[in-house]
Amino acid sequence: MNPVDLFRTASALPQAWSSRALGDVGTARVKVLRMDGTGVAEEVHDVAEVLLVLDGRLELTVEGADLSVRPGELCVVPAGARHTVREGSLGTLVIVESTAA
């Protein structure tokens, strides 16, 4: 497998907040997406997610607690946790999520 340029892959996506799966590792899927400053409505997933900010920032509310995730930082959103991406989230985000429910 050849190296993947995460920034180029994210910038080539047709729209912000649409992720691209890069591959699976065991029972985890690795995805990349581009954040454009807009917010995303509340979500709840059956599996945990790791959200890793490569550049920019992720403004997140998890179970009512506001978090700002900066470049080089990650946040683990537990399975079943209500979470919302707030306005101001901008940059490149890697998501690692379980494929086993």
Side-chain angles (χ1 to χ4, degrees):
M1 169 154 214
N2 293 324
V4 175
D5 184 323
L6 297 172
F7 298 108
R8 183 174 296 166
T9 302
S11 67
L13 290 169
Q15 64 186 49
W17 300 109
S18 65
S19 63
R20 176 170 176 216
L22 302 173
D24 295 336
V25 179
T27 61
R29 176 157 295 138
V30 179
K31 304 187 299 186
V32 66
L33 65 79
R34 176 175 40 87
M35 304 179 285
D36 69 352
T38 62
V40 176
E42 182 176 271
E43 299 179 313
V44 176
H45 304 288
D46 293 335
V47 296
E49 292 181 308
V50 172
L51 307 174
L52 170 64
V53 177
L54 297 181
D55 68 340
R57 69 177 187 267
L58 172 63
E59 299 297 333
L60 193 63
T61 301
V62 180
E63 292 291 331
D66 290 342
L67 306 168
S68 291
V69 188
R70 305 292 180 200
E73 296 179 336
L74 64 80
C75 176
V76 177
V77 178
R82 294 173 302 128
H83 58 287
T84 305
V85 175
R86 297 189 318 273
E87 287 187 22
S89 297
L90 184 67
T92 309
L93 181 68
V94 170
I95 301 172
V96 180
E97 63 187 11
S98 175
T99 56

